[in-house]
Amino acid sequence: MKSIRPVSDLRNRFASISDDVHRTGQPVFLTKNGTGDMVVMSMEAYENLAFESEVYTALREAEIEASLTETRYSPDEVLAGLRARIDSVSKAG
């Protein structure tokens, strides 16, 4: 369930908001004059959200690229390419 609190709680009950976002891992939605104003979340939750967004974007770009070409690779071809790339990086470094 969403945690919705007035923005004044940010000043008056900051410790409670901090405890909530860290304990639950969920954001707290803050309202100003009854309208949504801000979202407060833990740094860990934000980093997870940012990572998921990056992964989603990369997958979406891959889907678009796949729709534009007929080239397909088998799992074995992909793994062989990854191994070759890792080996070349290891030898260079």
Side-chain angles (χ1 to χ4, degrees):
M1 181 164 179
K2 284 186 181 180
S3 178
I4 302 172
R5 298 168 75 155
V7 75
S8 60
D9 278 4
L10 192 56
R11 179 184 61 239
N12 301 328
R13 295 182 177 89
F14 176 81
S16 173
I17 291 174
S18 179
D19 289 343
D20 286 350
V21 298
H22 287 95
R23 182 177 41 79
T24 67
Q26 298 297 311
V28 172
F29 297 86
L30 301 174
T31 61
K32 185 175 183 179
N33 299 324
T35 304
D37 187 48
M38 286 191 255
V39 177
V40 177
M41 62 178 50
S42 70
M43 190 65 123
E44 181 180 2
Y46 174 78
E47 288 171 350
N48 289 337
L49 183 64
F51 175 75
E52 289 172 6
S53 178
E54 289 176 24
V55 169
Y56 175 79
T57 299
L59 288 172
R60 184 67 189 129
E61 288 172 0
E63 286 177 344
I64 291 168
E65 185 175 336
S67 72
L68 299 175
T69 181
E70 296 296 319
T71 304
R72 299 293 182 263
Y73 299 98
S74 72
D76 290 337
E77 290 171 317
V78 171
L79 287 174
L82 288 171
R83 286 187 181 114
R85 191 159 190 190
I86 290 169
D87 287 343
S88 70
V89 169
S90 296
K91 291 176 184 175

